[in-house]
Structure formats: C-alpha cells, structure tokens
C-alpha cells in the first residue's frame, strides 16, 4: 500500500491535511474503544460503507480481522504523505499480546472537504519489541 505514494507528493496544505487525517484516524480508534459502531463506521468512505452495508457488520469485520486496530495497546504515527486529495498515514501499533504492527491508512478527501478512511492494511513488523 505504501507504494501508491512517493515522497515527492506535497502541497501547500500538507500540515493541515496531516492534522485533519490524523484526527479522523484517532476518532475512529476512539469509537472502536467505546464500542460505538455507528461512529466508527461514519469515518469510512462511502465505498467502504456500501461494501459492508451497516455499522454492525463493519464493526464485526474489524473485531475479527483487525484486532490491533480494534484494541491497540499503543499507537504511534510515523509517516505521512499526501497529494491533497489522498493521504497515507503509516502508523505503528502494539496489540494486546505486545506484538508490533505496521498499519497503513489511506484516506480520501470528500467533496465537502472532510477526510474519510478508504483502506487500512496491517502487517506484523519485522522486528520484535524488546
């Protein structure tokens, strides 16, 4: 997923985009923590919402397939890239079993100017925690 973007993607509003997109990710993580499936679902793009149909189905998918995102023990934002309409956040998360993960969020800017999460991919980090 990280290969979709290059380090040359920059624009004037990058700092604002970085803050806004990070806030969306953090808000969705908080909604997962609170068990608020409707709120968590609201941060997904319309395509993702259509794919899963409803908030409860979406929340079940996250619980079953993305435990590190559903209940991270630790979250650290490590890299950001944007072209103004799409953004990539590389995030390191530690799960409840103390495993380190690289998590890649892609967000899309909506016509109303808000950002929504269009994908989230996880991979176990190659190094172990000490």
């Amino acid at each position: 997923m990280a290969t979709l973007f290059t380090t040359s993607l920059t624009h004037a509003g990058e700092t604002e985009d970085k803050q806004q997109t990070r806030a969306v990710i953090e808000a969705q993580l908080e909604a997962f923590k609170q068990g608020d499936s409707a709120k968590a679902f609201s941060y997904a793009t319309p395509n993702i919402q259509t794919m899963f149909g409803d908030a409860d189905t979406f929340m079940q998918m996250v619980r079953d397939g993305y435990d590190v995102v559903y209940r991270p023990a630790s979250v650290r934002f490590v890299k950001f890239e944007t072209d103004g309409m799409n953004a990539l956040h590389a995030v390191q998360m530690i799960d409840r079993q103390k495993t380190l993960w690289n998590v890649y969020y892609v967000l899309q800017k909506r016509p109303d100017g808000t950002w929504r999460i269009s994908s989230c991919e996880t991979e176990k980090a190659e190094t172990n925690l000490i």
Side-chain angles (χ1 to χ4, degrees):
M1 183 55 61
T3 58
L4 291 178
F5 295 86
T6 67
T7 56
S8 64
L9 292 177
T10 60
H11 78 289
E14 185 170 334
T15 299
E16 185 176 322
D17 290 346
K18 183 177 182 179
Q19 292 170 346
Q20 290 175 354
T21 54
R22 179 175 172 157
V24 168
I25 294 166
E26 289 173 334
Q28 188 180 61
L29 291 173
E30 183 62 26
F32 290 145
K33 181 179 176 182
Q34 299 298 322
D36 189 339
S37 58
K39 186 106 171 149
F41 193 54
S42 75
Y43 296 110
T45 60
N47 287 346
I48 298 296
Q49 291 175 349
T50 299
M51 185 185 325
F52 290 99
D54 62 64
D56 292 334
T57 302
F58 175 75
M59 187 70 107
Q60 188 63 47
M61 177 277 302
V62 174
R63 272 194 302 265
D64 292 348
Y66 294 84
D67 186 66
V68 67
V69 173
Y70 182 64
R71 291 287 192 267
S74 175
V75 176
R76 185 174 143 236
F77 288 77
V78 294
K79 186 175 181 181
F80 174 77
E81 296 177 12
T82 188
D83 64 4
M85 294 306 294
N86 297 285
L88 169 71
H89 272 280
V91 183
Q92 288 186 326
M93 295 186 185
I94 299 172
D95 67 16
R96 294 179 280 184
Q97 291 74 41
K98 306 297 183 223
T99 302
L100 180 62
W101 293 81
N102 295 316
V103 182
Y104 304 99
Y105 284 92
V106 176
L107 296 92
Q108 293 177 346
K109 193 170 208 173
R110 307 298 307 147
D112 66 1
T114 61
W115 289 92
R116 293 293 175 255
I117 299 168
S118 62
S119 71
C120 176
E121 294 188 18
T122 60
E123 67 178 5
K124 282 188 182 180
E126 292 184 16
T127 58
N128 291 321
L129 294 173
I130 297 176

